[in-house]
């Protein structure tokens, strides 16, 4: 579950109305960062701090064969890390992760990157994507998430010649929708008053459990 915004304590929605800020299933989460202090830094936590060289190795030098998707923030790559230590591994060894790399020309800057870390590190729910770590090495900015094997729901609902996904049964669709509802309930009930601003099929990611 991605694409979330901080809900201001005053009760007014501060979400941008520009539709161009909407993103795909691995898109930017926080377009409005007015609530993030200027001097905010990535807090100490259990998140893994990756080096640029680590993620370069994990993604086979950001191979185009490992591209999972494109978004407003940048490109998302498939990577591999050790299950216990999160040390960068090679293709097919360890566990797969989704590595989101900020495009240098992206309109979404450093404060948005910090916002996503700030809020996602505090969320822990089976229906919310887990942020595993980040990288701000050599002026390169990355976010590393758990990998969802079946990508996004839209691949199954809107099939094309390029995507050969099996149609979903109504039972499976109901299971997915219940999971979405549980995730939204958790997010909307959080102490940070977060709301989800882009609930659509491309922002609902599926793991293998759904099938």
């Amino acid at each position: 579950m991605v694409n979330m915004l901080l809900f201001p304590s005053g009760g007014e929605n501060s979400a941008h109305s520009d539709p161009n800020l909407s993103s795909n299933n691995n898109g930017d989460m926080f377009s409005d960062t007015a609530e993030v202090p200027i001097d905010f830094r990535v807090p100490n936590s259990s998140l893994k701090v990756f080096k640029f060289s680590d993620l370069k190795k994990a993604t086979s030098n950001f191979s185009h064969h490992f591209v999972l998707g494109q978004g407003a923030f940048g490109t998302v790559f498939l990577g591999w890390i050790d299950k216990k230590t999160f040390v960068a591994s090679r293709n097919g060894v360890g566990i797969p992760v989704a590595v989101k790399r900020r495009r240098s020309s992206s309109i979404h800057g450093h404060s948005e990157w910090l916002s996503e870390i700030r809020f996602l590190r505090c969320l822990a729910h089976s229906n919310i994507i887990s942020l595993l770590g980040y990288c701000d090495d050599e002026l390169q900015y990355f976010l590393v998430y758990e990998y969802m094997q079946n990508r996004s729901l839209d691949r199954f609902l809107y099939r094309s010649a390029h995507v050969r996904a099996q149609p979903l049964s109504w039972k499976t669709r109901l299971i997915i929708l219940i999971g979405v509802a549980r995730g939204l309930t958790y997010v909307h009930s959080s102490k940070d008053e977060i709301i989800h601003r882009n609930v659509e099929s491309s922002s609902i990611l599926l793991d293998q459990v759904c099938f």
Side-chain angles (χ1 to χ4, degrees):
M1 300 291 296
V2 295
N3 297 314
M4 292 179 287
L5 275 175
L6 179 69
F7 193 83
S9 58
E12 295 181 359
N13 193 337
S14 59
H16 290 294
S17 59
D18 185 354
N20 293 325
L21 293 179
S22 296
S23 52
N24 65 3
N25 57 320
N26 283 300
D28 179 63
M29 292 178 60
F30 304 98
S31 296
D32 189 337
T33 57
E35 299 292 332
V36 181
I38 296 176
D39 60 348
F40 176 76
R41 296 293 182 272
V42 177
N44 293 326
S45 68
S46 59
L47 295 180
K48 169 72 174 179
V49 181
F50 292 92
K51 292 184 178 180
F52 176 66
S53 58
D54 294 333
L55 299 182
K56 186 176 181 180
K57 176 182 178 181
T59 59
S60 296
N61 196 19
F62 307 107
S63 170
H64 69 276
H65 296 295
F66 289 175
V67 173
L68 297 176
Q70 302 277 349
F73 185 92
T75 305
V76 182
F77 297 88
L78 174 65
W80 295 86
I81 61 175
D82 183 83
K83 183 177 181 179
K84 294 182 178 179
T85 65
F86 283 8
V87 172
S89 185
R90 63 181 185 277
N91 182 24
V93 178
I95 59 172
V97 292
V99 180
K100 185 163 68 172
R101 183 181 191 179
R102 177 178 175 265
R103 187 185 304 111
S104 58
S105 59
S106 172
I107 61 174
H108 302 281
H110 187 253
S111 58
E112 286 83 357
W113 176 82
L114 285 173
S115 296
E116 193 157 340
I117 296 174
R118 179 190 180 194
F119 291 102
L120 264 187
R121 66 180 287 270
C122 300
L123 302 178
H125 190 274
S126 59
N127 296 112
I128 302 293
I129 293 295
S130 296
L131 178 66
L132 304 179
Y134 64 91
C135 171
D136 59 354
D137 186 33
E138 299 185 24
L139 298 179
Q140 298 282 340
Y141 298 97
F142 296 84
L143 296 170
V144 181
Y145 306 88
E146 62 176 321
Y147 175 64
M148 295 287 101
Q149 296 91 330
N150 282 298
R151 309 287 185 86
S152 54
L153 178 59
D154 61 324
R155 295 176 66 249
F156 295 87
L157 300 181
Y158 312 111
R159 291 184 295 167
S160 67
H162 304 290
V163 179
R164 295 176 177 268
Q166 294 295 322
L168 302 176
S169 67
W170 285 110
K171 178 181 178 180
T172 298
R173 296 181 189 213
L174 180 59
I175 291 173
I176 293 172
L177 292 178
I178 291 174
V180 172
R182 287 173 174 167
L184 287 174
T185 299
Y186 171 79
V187 170
H188 293 170
S189 302
S190 68
K191 62 182 179 62
D192 292 308
E193 296 183 294
I194 299 173
I195 62 170
H196 197 293
R197 68 179 178 90
N198 191 26
V199 182
E200 57 185 15
S201 58
S202 62
S203 63
I204 298 172
L205 306 184
L206 307 175
D207 61 17
Q208 61 184 359
V209 177
C210 295
F211 304 89

